[in-house]
Amino acid sequence: MTAEKTIQKAVKTIINLRETTNSPVHALIYGNWGVGKSYSAQKVAQKEKGVFYCKIPDGNISKSKLIKIIALSAGAGYRHLYEGTFDLLKYHLLVNNYQHPIFIIDEAQRILKSSLLMSELKDLSEDPSLKFSYIFLGDHTTADIFKAHRHSLHKRILIKEKLQPLTEETIVEIAKEKGVEIDPKIILEVGKDKAWTTIDIAFLFSYLSQLLKVKKIELTKETIQEISKKLWKEE
């Protein structure tokens, strides 16, 4: 399953579980670099009403900065003080009828260690006027951090998924998006040999889509290998 489909499935499952349990529930999705987490999360947020994408920056994050990040992702803007941003966020969600919004929190491994920030997220999820749900999206270190830093919010994380490496399904999805017709088995074979990620595949197909507009070429294994040498300046 592609990263995008995994995140979409998590959104739908959260909505269903929320109705069943009558309380906020959350998800944890993680995987290696380059499997398309951030790109896919942003696409899902653009498609789904009431789903917002926010990325946690590196470095120390305060409670005030966290609420600003969340408010900005929802399109609410922010105020200088925490209370002002909080009130602005609540008003924005109410006016736009965003009931029980879902926030995809990218680079979640950066805040999973913080009891203070996790408690803040828990409070926001339990506020009757907000009832936020979260999809914690993290890198390959996330599972270990999650186990090492326990928090009461974890009890409400009912969905846990590890994103898988490059697959034929992912290749087909990207090829369709970029308008490139090719046997996915060729890309999978070359990609495994060169340790390509979904980012590499997207870059390759973007180049191929432009190239095929200029001239007609047969996309064989040998052709892909030659193009790869040019694109990545391989010896």
Side-chain angles (χ1 to χ4, degrees), residues 151-182:
H151 191 277
S152 57
L153 180 63
H154 291 188
K155 294 178 181 178
R156 306 305 303 169
I157 298 177
L158 305 184
I159 305 155
K160 300 183 185 73
E161 292 282 349
K162 181 178 180 181
L163 295 171
Q164 299 304 312
L166 194 63
T167 63
E168 279 192 32
E169 183 182 11
T170 302
I171 294 168
V172 169
E173 287 281 336
I174 299 173
K176 183 179 179 181
E177 182 180 317
K178 302 296 183 182
V180 176
E181 293 185 14
I182 190 170

PDB file of all heavy atoms in Angstrom, residues 151-182:
ATOM      1  N   HIS A 151       3.278   7.785  27.329  1.00  0.00           N
ATOM      2  CA  HIS A 151       2.402   8.901  27.716  1.00  0.00           C
ATOM      3  C   HIS A 151       0.961   8.401  27.691  1.00  0.00           C
ATOM      4  O   HIS A 151       0.627   7.492  26.915  1.00  0.00           O
ATOM      5  CB  HIS A 151       2.578  10.080  26.758  1.00  0.00           C
ATOM      6  CG  HIS A 151       1.933  11.335  27.225  1.00  0.00           C
ATOM      7  ND1 HIS A 151       0.595  11.602  27.040  1.00  0.00           N
ATOM      8  CD2 HIS A 151       2.433  12.410  27.906  1.00  0.00           C
ATOM      9  CE1 HIS A 151       0.307  12.776  27.558  1.00  0.00           C
ATOM     10  NE2 HIS A 151       1.403  13.290  28.086  1.00  0.00           N
ATOM     11  N   SER A 152       0.124   9.005  28.496  1.00  0.00           N
ATOM     12  CA  SER A 152      -1.275   8.578  28.564  1.00  0.00           C
ATOM     13  C   SER A 152      -2.003   8.744  27.234  1.00  0.00           C
ATOM     14  O   SER A 152      -2.970   8.023  26.947  1.00  0.00           O
ATOM     15  CB  SER A 152      -2.018   9.357  29.661  1.00  0.00           C
ATOM     16  OG  SER A 152      -1.928  10.752  29.432  1.00  0.00           O
ATOM     17  N   LEU A 153      -1.534   9.679  26.394  1.00  0.00           N
ATOM     18  CA  LEU A 153      -2.145   9.869  25.068  1.00  0.00           C
ATOM     19  C   LEU A 153      -1.994   8.617  24.211  1.00  0.00           C
ATOM     20  O   LEU A 153      -2.816   8.350  23.332  1.00  0.00           O
ATOM     21  CB  LEU A 153      -1.506  11.071  24.366  1.00  0.00           C
ATOM     22  CG  LEU A 153      -2.034  11.421  22.962  1.00  0.00           C
ATOM     23  CD1 LEU A 153      -3.510  11.808  23.015  1.00  0.00           C
ATOM     24  CD2 LEU A 153      -1.242  12.553  22.344  1.00  0.00           C
ATOM     25  N   HIS A 154      -0.961   7.840  24.472  1.00  0.00           N
ATOM     26  CA  HIS A 154      -0.708   6.637  23.679  1.00  0.00           C
ATOM     27  C   HIS A 154      -1.883   5.656  23.711  1.00  0.00           C
ATOM     28  O   HIS A 154      -2.077   4.888  22.766  1.00  0.00           O
ATOM     29  CB  HIS A 154       0.553   5.915  24.190  1.00  0.00           C
ATOM     30  CG  HIS A 154       1.820   6.673  23.910  1.00  0.00           C
ATOM     31  ND1 HIS A 154       3.072   6.143  24.135  1.00  0.00           N
ATOM     32  CD2 HIS A 154       2.029   7.916  23.419  1.00  0.00           C
ATOM     33  CE1 HIS A 154       3.987   7.030  23.808  1.00  0.00           C
ATOM     34  NE2 HIS A 154       3.381   8.114  23.370  1.00  0.00           N
ATOM     35  N   LYS A 155      -2.642   5.683  24.801  1.00  0.00           N
ATOM     36  CA  LYS A 155      -3.775   4.761  24.925  1.00  0.00           C
ATOM     37  C   LYS A 155      -4.833   5.022  23.855  1.00  0.00           C
ATOM     38  O   LYS A 155      -5.627   4.136  23.539  1.00  0.00           O
ATOM     39  CB  LYS A 155      -4.404   4.887  26.311  1.00  0.00           C
ATOM     40  CG  LYS A 155      -3.488   4.440  27.443  1.00  0.00           C
ATOM     41  CD  LYS A 155      -4.158   4.636  28.800  1.00  0.00           C
ATOM     42  CE  LYS A 155      -3.223   4.216  29.933  1.00  0.00           C
ATOM     43  NZ  LYS A 155      -3.855   4.443  31.270  1.00  0.00           N
ATOM     44  N   ARG A 156      -4.835   6.252  23.331  1.00  0.00           N
ATOM     45  CA  ARG A 156      -5.820   6.603  22.307  1.00  0.00           C
ATOM     46  C   ARG A 156      -5.254   6.468  20.892  1.00  0.00           C
ATOM     47  O   ARG A 156      -5.943   6.780  19.926  1.00  0.00           O
ATOM     48  CB  ARG A 156      -6.327   8.034  22.527  1.00  0.00           C
ATOM     49  CG  ARG A 156      -6.875   8.318  23.914  1.00  0.00           C
ATOM     50  CD  ARG A 156      -7.971   7.357  24.299  1.00  0.00           C
ATOM     51  NE  ARG A 156      -9.084   7.363  23.356  1.00  0.00           N
ATOM     52  CZ  ARG A 156     -10.075   6.483  23.341  1.00  0.00           C
ATOM     53  NH1 ARG A 156     -10.085   5.491  24.196  1.00  0.00           N
ATOM     54  NH2 ARG A 156     -11.035   6.581  22.465  1.00  0.00           N
ATOM     55  N   ILE A 157      -4.014   6.031  20.781  1.00  0.00           N
ATOM     56  CA  ILE A 157      -3.438   5.772  19.454  1.00  0.00           C
ATOM     57  C   ILE A 157      -3.782   4.337  19.085  1.00  0.00           C
ATOM     58  O   ILE A 157      -3.095   3.380  19.463  1.00  0.00           O
ATOM     59  CB  ILE A 157      -1.907   6.005  19.453  1.00  0.00           C
ATOM     60  CG1 ILE A 157      -1.598   7.463  19.790  1.00  0.00           C
ATOM     61  CG2 ILE A 157      -1.312   5.653  18.084  1.00  0.00           C
ATOM     62  CD1 ILE A 157      -0.111   7.785  19.882  1.00  0.00           C
ATOM     63  N   LEU A 158      -4.866   4.183  18.373  1.00  0.00           N
ATOM     64  CA  LEU A 158      -5.408   2.857  18.076  1.00  0.00           C
ATOM     65  C   LEU A 158      -4.961   2.318  16.722  1.00  0.00           C
ATOM     66  O   LEU A 158      -5.225   1.164  16.392  1.00  0.00           O
ATOM     67  CB  LEU A 158      -6.940   2.897  18.137  1.00  0.00           C
ATOM     68  CG  LEU A 158      -7.546   3.425  19.450  1.00  0.00           C
ATOM     69  CD1 LEU A 158      -9.072   3.313  19.405  1.00  0.00           C
ATOM     70  CD2 LEU A 158      -6.994   2.677  20.655  1.00  0.00           C
ATOM     71  N   ILE A 159      -4.311   3.164  15.933  1.00  0.00           N
ATOM     72  CA  ILE A 159      -3.853   2.752  14.599  1.00  0.00           C
ATOM     73  C   ILE A 159      -2.343   2.915  14.544  1.00  0.00           C
ATOM     74  O   ILE A 159      -1.820   3.998  14.810  1.00  0.00           O
ATOM     75  CB  ILE A 159      -4.502   3.620  13.495  1.00  0.00           C
ATOM     76  CG1 ILE A 159      -6.024   3.586  13.620  1.00  0.00           C
ATOM     77  CG2 ILE A 159      -4.049   3.171  12.109  1.00  0.00           C
ATOM     78  CD1 ILE A 159      -6.698   4.797  13.028  1.00  0.00           C
ATOM     79  N   LYS A 160      -1.629   1.856  14.219  1.00  0.00           N
ATOM     80  CA  LYS A 160      -0.173   1.905  14.094  1.00  0.00           C
ATOM     81  C   LYS A 160       0.218   1.206  12.795  1.00  0.00           C
ATOM     82  O   LYS A 160      -0.121   0.042  12.586  1.00  0.00           O
ATOM     83  CB  LYS A 160       0.519   1.238  15.282  1.00  0.00           C
ATOM     84  CG  LYS A 160       0.206   1.873  16.632  1.00  0.00           C
ATOM     85  CD  LYS A 160       0.992   1.180  17.741  1.00  0.00           C
ATOM     86  CE  LYS A 160       0.601   1.720  19.115  1.00  0.00           C
ATOM     87  NZ  LYS A 160      -0.727   1.282  19.550  1.00  0.00           N
ATOM     88  N   GLU A 161       0.917   1.925  11.921  1.00  0.00           N
ATOM     89  CA  GLU A 161       1.293   1.381  10.621  1.00  0.00           C
ATOM     90  C   GLU A 161       2.747   1.724  10.305  1.00  0.00           C
ATOM     91  O   GLU A 161       3.175   2.862  10.511  1.00  0.00           O
ATOM     92  CB  GLU A 161       0.408   1.950   9.507  1.00  0.00           C
ATOM     93  CG  GLU A 161      -1.043   1.516   9.557  1.00  0.00           C
ATOM     94  CD  GLU A 161      -1.278   0.107   9.027  1.00  0.00           C
ATOM     95  OE1 GLU A 161      -0.334  -0.456   8.427  1.00  0.00           O
ATOM     96  OE2 GLU A 161      -2.386  -0.413   9.218  1.00  0.00           O
ATOM     97  N   LYS A 162       3.473   0.756   9.794  1.00  0.00           N
ATOM     98  CA  LYS A 162       4.824   0.998   9.290  1.00  0.00           C
ATOM     99  C   LYS A 162       4.776   1.018   7.769  1.00  0.00           C
ATOM    100  O   LYS A 162       4.301   0.067   7.142  1.00  0.00           O
ATOM    101  CB  LYS A 162       5.798  -0.076   9.765  1.00  0.00           C
ATOM    102  CG  LYS A 162       7.224   0.163   9.263  1.00  0.00           C
ATOM    103  CD  LYS A 162       8.186  -0.898   9.779  1.00  0.00           C
ATOM    104  CE  LYS A 162       9.600  -0.618   9.265  1.00  0.00           C
ATOM    105  NZ  LYS A 162      10.575  -1.638   9.729  1.00  0.00           N
ATOM    106  N   LEU A 163       5.237   2.104   7.174  1.00  0.00           N
ATOM    107  CA  LEU A 163       5.246   2.218   5.715  1.00  0.00           C
ATOM    108  C   LEU A 163       6.327   1.325   5.131  1.00  0.00           C
ATOM    109  O   LEU A 163       7.452   1.272   5.641  1.00  0.00           O
ATOM    110  CB  LEU A 163       5.482   3.678   5.303  1.00  0.00           C
ATOM    111  CG  LEU A 163       4.370   4.649   5.702  1.00  0.00           C
ATOM    112  CD1 LEU A 163       4.803   6.076   5.444  1.00  0.00           C
ATOM    113  CD2 LEU A 163       3.090   4.345   4.947  1.00  0.00           C
ATOM    114  N   GLN A 164       5.982   0.642   4.071  1.00  0.00           N
ATOM    115  CA  GLN A 164       6.884  -0.320   3.471  1.00  0.00           C
ATOM    116  C   GLN A 164       7.780   0.334   2.413  1.00  0.00           C
ATOM    117  O   GLN A 164       7.455   1.390   1.876  1.00  0.00           O
ATOM    118  CB  GLN A 164       6.080  -1.460   2.838  1.00  0.00           C
ATOM    119  CG  GLN A 164       5.243  -2.232   3.836  1.00  0.00           C
ATOM    120  CD  GLN A 164       6.058  -2.787   4.983  1.00  0.00           C
ATOM    121  OE1 GLN A 164       7.113  -3.400   4.775  1.00  0.00           O
ATOM    122  NE2 GLN A 164       5.588  -2.584   6.208  1.00  0.00           N
ATOM    123  N   PRO A 165       8.917  -0.317   2.106  1.00  0.00           N
ATOM    124  CA  PRO A 165       9.810   0.201   1.054  1.00  0.00           C
ATOM    125  C   PRO A 165       9.132   0.196  -0.309  1.00  0.00           C
ATOM    126  O   PRO A 165       7.956  -0.154  -0.435  1.00  0.00           O
ATOM    127  CB  PRO A 165      10.992  -0.788   1.082  1.00  0.00           C
ATOM    128  CG  PRO A 165      10.907  -1.486   2.395  1.00  0.00           C
ATOM    129  CD  PRO A 165       9.447  -1.532   2.732  1.00  0.00           C
ATOM    130  N   LEU A 166       9.889   0.544  -1.321  1.00  0.00           N
ATOM    131  CA  LEU A 166       9.382   0.662  -2.692  1.00  0.00           C
ATOM    132  C   LEU A 166       8.657  -0.599  -3.151  1.00  0.00           C
ATOM    133  O   LEU A 166       9.153  -1.710  -2.991  1.00  0.00           O
ATOM    134  CB  LEU A 166      10.560   0.941  -3.628  1.00  0.00           C
ATOM    135  CG  LEU A 166      10.242   1.428  -5.031  1.00  0.00           C
ATOM    136  CD1 LEU A 166       9.541   2.770  -4.982  1.00  0.00           C
ATOM    137  CD2 LEU A 166      11.526   1.516  -5.832  1.00  0.00           C
ATOM    138  N   THR A 167       7.456  -0.428  -3.723  1.00  0.00           N
ATOM    139  CA  THR A 167       6.663  -1.546  -4.227  1.00  0.00           C
ATOM    140  C   THR A 167       6.168  -1.230  -5.631  1.00  0.00           C
ATOM    141  O   THR A 167       6.187  -0.079  -6.075  1.00  0.00           O
ATOM    142  CB  THR A 167       5.432  -1.801  -3.339  1.00  0.00           C
ATOM    143  OG1 THR A 167       4.570  -0.645  -3.381  1.00  0.00           O
ATOM    144  CG2 THR A 167       5.836  -2.079  -1.896  1.00  0.00           C
ATOM    145  N   GLU A 168       5.691  -2.260  -6.326  1.00  0.00           N
ATOM    146  CA  GLU A 168       5.129  -2.070  -7.672  1.00  0.00           C
ATOM    147  C   GLU A 168       3.930  -1.137  -7.616  1.00  0.00           C
ATOM    148  O   GLU A 168       3.739  -0.300  -8.504  1.00  0.00           O
ATOM    149  CB  GLU A 168       4.701  -3.421  -8.265  1.00  0.00           C
ATOM    150  CG  GLU A 168       5.839  -4.224  -8.876  1.00  0.00           C
ATOM    151  CD  GLU A 168       5.335  -5.400  -9.694  1.00  0.00           C
ATOM    152  OE1 GLU A 168       4.239  -5.288 -10.295  1.00  0.00           O
ATOM    153  OE2 GLU A 168       6.030  -6.419  -9.725  1.00  0.00           O
ATOM    154  N   GLU A 169       3.136  -1.261  -6.568  1.00  0.00           N
ATOM    155  CA  GLU A 169       1.939  -0.429  -6.440  1.00  0.00           C
ATOM    156  C   GLU A 169       2.319   1.048  -6.369  1.00  0.00           C
ATOM    157  O   GLU A 169       1.693   1.894  -7.013  1.00  0.00           O
ATOM    158  CB  GLU A 169       1.164  -0.823  -5.182  1.00  0.00           C
ATOM    159  CG  GLU A 169      -0.140  -0.056  -5.019  1.00  0.00           C
ATOM    160  CD  GLU A 169      -0.876  -0.413  -3.750  1.00  0.00           C
ATOM    161  OE1 GLU A 169      -0.298  -1.092  -2.884  1.00  0.00           O
ATOM    162  OE2 GLU A 169      -2.036   0.015  -3.618  1.00  0.00           O
ATOM    163  N   THR A 170       3.367   1.348  -5.600  1.00  0.00           N
ATOM    164  CA  THR A 170       3.831   2.731  -5.490  1.00  0.00           C
ATOM    165  C   THR A 170       4.299   3.245  -6.839  1.00  0.00           C
ATOM    166  O   THR A 170       3.998   4.378  -7.230  1.00  0.00           O
ATOM    167  CB  THR A 170       4.984   2.830  -4.472  1.00  0.00           C
ATOM    168  OG1 THR A 170       4.533   2.337  -3.211  1.00  0.00           O
ATOM    169  CG2 THR A 170       5.451   4.270  -4.320  1.00  0.00           C
ATOM    170  N   ILE A 171       5.057   2.417  -7.559  1.00  0.00           N
ATOM    171  CA  ILE A 171       5.585   2.792  -8.878  1.00  0.00           C
ATOM    172  C   ILE A 171       4.437   3.080  -9.850  1.00  0.00           C
ATOM    173  O   ILE A 171       4.473   4.064 -10.592  1.00  0.00           O
ATOM    174  CB  ILE A 171       6.511   1.691  -9.421  1.00  0.00           C
ATOM    175  CG1 ILE A 171       7.765   1.588  -8.546  1.00  0.00           C
ATOM    176  CG2 ILE A 171       6.902   1.963 -10.877  1.00  0.00           C
ATOM    177  CD1 ILE A 171       8.608   0.359  -8.800  1.00  0.00           C
ATOM    178  N   VAL A 172       3.418   2.221  -9.832  1.00  0.00           N
ATOM    179  CA  VAL A 172       2.257   2.402 -10.715  1.00  0.00           C
ATOM    180  C   VAL A 172       1.549   3.720 -10.401  1.00  0.00           C
ATOM    181  O   VAL A 172       1.158   4.462 -11.302  1.00  0.00           O
ATOM    182  CB  VAL A 172       1.275   1.216 -10.573  1.00  0.00           C
ATOM    183  CG1 VAL A 172      -0.041   1.517 -11.279  1.00  0.00           C
ATOM    184  CG2 VAL A 172       1.891  -0.054 -11.146  1.00  0.00           C
ATOM    185  N   GLU A 173       1.394   4.010  -9.110  1.00  0.00           N
ATOM    186  CA  GLU A 173       0.731   5.256  -8.689  1.00  0.00           C
ATOM    187  C   GLU A 173       1.485   6.489  -9.197  1.00  0.00           C
ATOM    188  O   GLU A 173       0.888   7.423  -9.737  1.00  0.00           O
ATOM    189  CB  GLU A 173       0.648   5.308  -7.159  1.00  0.00           C
ATOM    190  CG  GLU A 173      -0.360   4.366  -6.548  1.00  0.00           C
ATOM    191  CD  GLU A 173      -1.779   4.881  -6.630  1.00  0.00           C
ATOM    192  OE1 GLU A 173      -1.959   6.107  -6.733  1.00  0.00           O
ATOM    193  OE2 GLU A 173      -2.709   4.056  -6.606  1.00  0.00           O
ATOM    194  N   ILE A 174       2.803   6.478  -9.023  1.00  0.00           N
ATOM    195  CA  ILE A 174       3.607   7.641  -9.439  1.00  0.00           C
ATOM    196  C   ILE A 174       3.636   7.760 -10.962  1.00  0.00           C
ATOM    197  O   ILE A 174       3.559   8.854 -11.516  1.00  0.00           O
ATOM    198  CB  ILE A 174       5.039   7.539  -8.879  1.00  0.00           C
ATOM    199  CG1 ILE A 174       5.006   7.512  -7.352  1.00  0.00           C
ATOM    200  CG2 ILE A 174       5.897   8.723  -9.352  1.00  0.00           C
ATOM    201  CD1 ILE A 174       6.345   7.252  -6.707  1.00  0.00           C
ATOM    202  N   ALA A 175       3.740   6.612 -11.642  1.00  0.00           N
ATOM    203  CA  ALA A 175       3.757   6.615 -13.111  1.00  0.00           C
ATOM    204  C   ALA A 175       2.458   7.205 -13.668  1.00  0.00           C
ATOM    205  O   ALA A 175       2.477   8.007 -14.609  1.00  0.00           O
ATOM    206  CB  ALA A 175       3.956   5.193 -13.626  1.00  0.00           C
ATOM    207  N   LYS A 176       1.354   6.830 -13.065  1.00  0.00           N
ATOM    208  CA  LYS A 176       0.050   7.344 -13.490  1.00  0.00           C
ATOM    209  C   LYS A 176      -0.030   8.852 -13.265  1.00  0.00           C
ATOM    210  O   LYS A 176      -0.511   9.601 -14.127  1.00  0.00           O
ATOM    211  CB  LYS A 176      -1.065   6.628 -12.711  1.00  0.00           C
ATOM    212  CG  LYS A 176      -2.463   7.045 -13.123  1.00  0.00           C
ATOM    213  CD  LYS A 176      -3.501   6.264 -12.327  1.00  0.00           C
ATOM    214  CE  LYS A 176      -4.918   6.685 -12.719  1.00  0.00           C
ATOM    215  NZ  LYS A 176      -5.946   5.951 -11.925  1.00  0.00           N
ATOM    216  N   GLU A 177       0.460   9.286 -12.111  1.00  0.00           N
ATOM    217  CA  GLU A 177       0.430  10.706 -11.776  1.00  0.00           C
ATOM    218  C   GLU A 177       1.278  11.529 -12.732  1.00  0.00           C
ATOM    219  O   GLU A 177       0.900  12.643 -13.113  1.00  0.00           O
ATOM    220  CB  GLU A 177       0.937  10.893 -10.340  1.00  0.00           C
ATOM    221  CG  GLU A 177       0.904  12.318  -9.862  1.00  0.00           C
ATOM    222  CD  GLU A 177       1.410  12.456  -8.439  1.00  0.00           C
ATOM    223  OE1 GLU A 177       1.045  11.610  -7.595  1.00  0.00           O
ATOM    224  OE2 GLU A 177       2.170  13.399  -8.176  1.00  0.00           O
ATOM    225  N   LYS A 178       2.426  10.972 -13.151  1.00  0.00           N
ATOM    226  CA  LYS A 178       3.351  11.695 -14.024  1.00  0.00           C
ATOM    227  C   LYS A 178       3.063  11.455 -15.514  1.00  0.00           C
ATOM    228  O   LYS A 178       3.698  12.067 -16.370  1.00  0.00           O
ATOM    229  CB  LYS A 178       4.797  11.285 -13.725  1.00  0.00           C
ATOM    230  CG  LYS A 178       5.236  11.526 -12.283  1.00  0.00           C
ATOM    231  CD  LYS A 178       5.234  13.002 -11.930  1.00  0.00           C
ATOM    232  CE  LYS A 178       5.758  13.216 -10.514  1.00  0.00           C
ATOM    233  NZ  LYS A 178       5.729  14.641 -10.119  1.00  0.00           N
ATOM    234  N   GLY A 179       2.115  10.555 -15.812  1.00  0.00           N
ATOM    235  CA  GLY A 179       1.762  10.284 -17.200  1.00  0.00           C
ATOM    236  C   GLY A 179       2.798   9.483 -17.959  1.00  0.00           C
ATOM    237  O   GLY A 179       3.012   9.697 -19.160  1.00  0.00           O
ATOM    238  N   VAL A 180       3.451   8.540 -17.274  1.00  0.00           N
ATOM    239  CA  VAL A 180       4.487   7.711 -17.897  1.00  0.00           C
ATOM    240  C   VAL A 180       4.013   6.264 -17.949  1.00  0.00           C
ATOM    241  O   VAL A 180       3.601   5.702 -16.926  1.00  0.00           O
ATOM    242  CB  VAL A 180       5.815   7.784 -17.105  1.00  0.00           C
ATOM    243  CG1 VAL A 180       6.853   6.836 -17.701  1.00  0.00           C
ATOM    244  CG2 VAL A 180       6.343   9.212 -17.082  1.00  0.00           C
ATOM    245  N   GLU A 181       4.046   5.666 -19.135  1.00  0.00           N
ATOM    246  CA  GLU A 181       3.665   4.260 -19.286  1.00  0.00           C
ATOM    247  C   GLU A 181       4.927   3.400 -19.304  1.00  0.00           C
ATOM    248  O   GLU A 181       5.767   3.537 -20.197  1.00  0.00           O
ATOM    249  CB  GLU A 181       2.868   4.060 -20.573  1.00  0.00           C
ATOM    250  CG  GLU A 181       1.499   4.735 -20.554  1.00  0.00           C
ATOM    251  CD  GLU A 181       0.693   4.413 -21.799  1.00  0.00           C
ATOM    252  OE1 GLU A 181       1.083   3.463 -22.529  1.00  0.00           O
ATOM    253  OE2 GLU A 181      -0.311   5.091 -22.042  1.00  0.00           O
ATOM    254  N   ILE A 182       5.055   2.527 -18.315  1.00  0.00           N
ATOM    255  CA  ILE A 182       6.238   1.681 -18.208  1.00  0.00           C
ATOM    256  C   ILE A 182       5.909   0.455 -17.374  1.00  0.00           C
ATOM    257  O   ILE A 182       5.031   0.499 -16.495  1.00  0.00           O
ATOM    258  CB  ILE A 182       7.427   2.461 -17.574  1.00  0.00           C
ATOM    259  CG1 ILE A 182       8.715   1.659 -17.690  1.00  0.00           C
ATOM    260  CG2 ILE A 182       7.128   2.855 -16.144  1.00  0.00           C
ATOM    261  CD1 ILE A 182       9.959   2.444 -17.304  1.00  0.00           C
TER     262      ILE A 182
END
